[in-house]
Amino acid sequence: MRIIFIGPPGAGKGTQSLRLVEYLGIPHLSTGDMLRQAVVERTPTGVLAGPYMDAGQLVPDDIILKLMDERMRKGDCGRGALFDGFPRNLHQAAALDRMLEKMFGQALDAALEMNVDDAEIIRRLSGRQRTDDRPAVIAERLKSYWHETRPLLEYYRQRGVLRVIDGIGTQDQVFDRIKAALGRQQPV
Ligand code: ADP
């Protein structure tokens, strides 16, 4: 299965992604994790991306697309993958469709939207320890989510693959909703 997760920062995508990849036996492709690792290792990608991340802005598409293209060529995505934090705008979504078609001759199976309201997001993020979780940066990340990422919901709704998940509740409850939304897909 090829699945993407869409949702504002703090919606719980990261936590649920880890459970889902274990359940489905597919690799977890998190652009946020890859970028943070690149920053720590001071690779050229990390040096370019760091300032955007610190400001809560999207990293330019050419950097992201190169990163994803290289990652998807590693050979472990043939049976599927979970994309977490990618795509983040319509240009990236169109690029992902092209990459999946070209590399695997496949389309996306599901786009999961984690639905959590802004008040809850701010409450959750205020309790985290990440350097980009300062209030001004949180506001900037929410803004970029609303302006650039939310249009993806319509893009995937039109393709019939959007599944909306209520992200409020215990981790187990949310995970059960995800499995139900995927049609109780058997692990591969
Ligand atoms: P969150 O969902 O909590 O914002 P992520 O770990 O997904 O966290 O992303 C952290 C930061 O990495 C983002 O604020 C952004 O700067 C950058 N980033 C991650 N994925 C992308 C992407 N697909 N396109 C552009 N920037 C990205």
Side-chain angles (χ1 to χ4, degrees), residues 76-87:
D76 58 348
C77 298
R79 288 191 315 161
L82 176 65
F83 300 91
D84 172 6
F86 171 84

Side-chain angles (χ1 to χ4, degrees), residues 7-10 13 31-33 35-36 52-53 56-59 64 85-88 92 128 130 132 141:
K13 296 187 304 274
T31 38
D33 287 351
L35 290 169
R36 278 185 288 276
Y52 293 96
M53 298 169 74
Q57 292 166 2
L58 292 189
V59 173
I64 298 291
F86 171 84
R88 273 285 221 286
Q92 293 182 11
R128 290 202 320 201
R130 242 166 62 182
D132 58 352
R141 280 158 61 213

Side-chain angles (χ1 to χ4, degrees), residues 2-187:
R2 283 149 301 276
I3 304 169
I4 67 167
F5 249 122
I6 306 175
K13 296 187 304 274
T15 316
Q16 295 294 335
S17 292
L18 293 179
R19 294 183 69 159
L20 192 56
V21 292
E22 191 168 321
Y23 177 73
L24 291 175
I26 54 178
H28 179 209
L29 274 55
S30 159
T31 38
D33 287 351
M34 290 182 218
L35 290 169
R36 278 185 288 276
Q37 193 183 342
V39 169
V40 169
E41 291 174 358
R42 297 179 205 275
T43 67
T45 298
V47 171
L48 285 168
Y52 293 96
M53 298 169 74
D54 287 341
Q57 292 166 2
L58 292 189
V59 173
D61 288 344
D62 54 345
I63 300 177
I64 298 291
L65 294 178
K66 184 163 166 280
L67 193 71
M68 285 312 280
D69 185 75
E70 284 168 4
R71 176 61 188 84
M72 284 168 72
R73 283 175 197 286
K74 281 200 173 154
D76 58 348
C77 298
R79 288 191 315 161
L82 176 65
F83 300 91
D84 172 6
F86 171 84
R88 273 285 221 286
N89 59 29
L90 288 168
H91 181 241
Q92 293 182 11
L96 175 62
D97 284 347
R98 282 195 301 273
M99 285 194 269
L100 289 175
E101 177 60 38
K102 200 167 138 207
M103 290 187 200
F104 310 113
Q106 304 274 5
L108 203 68
D109 296 289
L112 303 174
E113 179 201 359
M114 287 284 270
N115 200 350
V116 178
D117 58 79
D118 275 8
E120 172 70 9
I121 291 297
I122 289 166
R123 201 183 62 74
R124 290 186 188 179
L125 290 180
S126 311
R128 290 202 320 201
Q129 300 286 321
R130 242 166 62 182
T131 55
D132 58 352
D133 283 342
R134 282 167 288 133
V137 182
I138 292 174
E140 197 58 38
R141 280 158 61 213
L142 281 174
K143 206 164 94 187
S144 107
Y145 178 71
W146 275 89
H147 291 294
E148 308 198 49
T149 307
R150 273 189 66 90
L152 292 184
L153 301 178
E154 190 50 37
Y155 179 89
Y156 290 117
R157 186 174 289 122
Q158 282 176 12
R159 282 160 179 72
V161 293
L162 182 70
R163 305 280 179 271
V164 181
I165 311 293
D166 175 3
I168 304 280
T170 66
Q171 288 189 15
D172 285 345
Q173 283 168 338
V174 175
F175 191 56
D176 284 345
R177 291 177 198 142
I178 291 172
K179 284 188 287 188
L182 292 174
R184 303 218 175 273
Q185 187 82 18
Q186 291 303 306

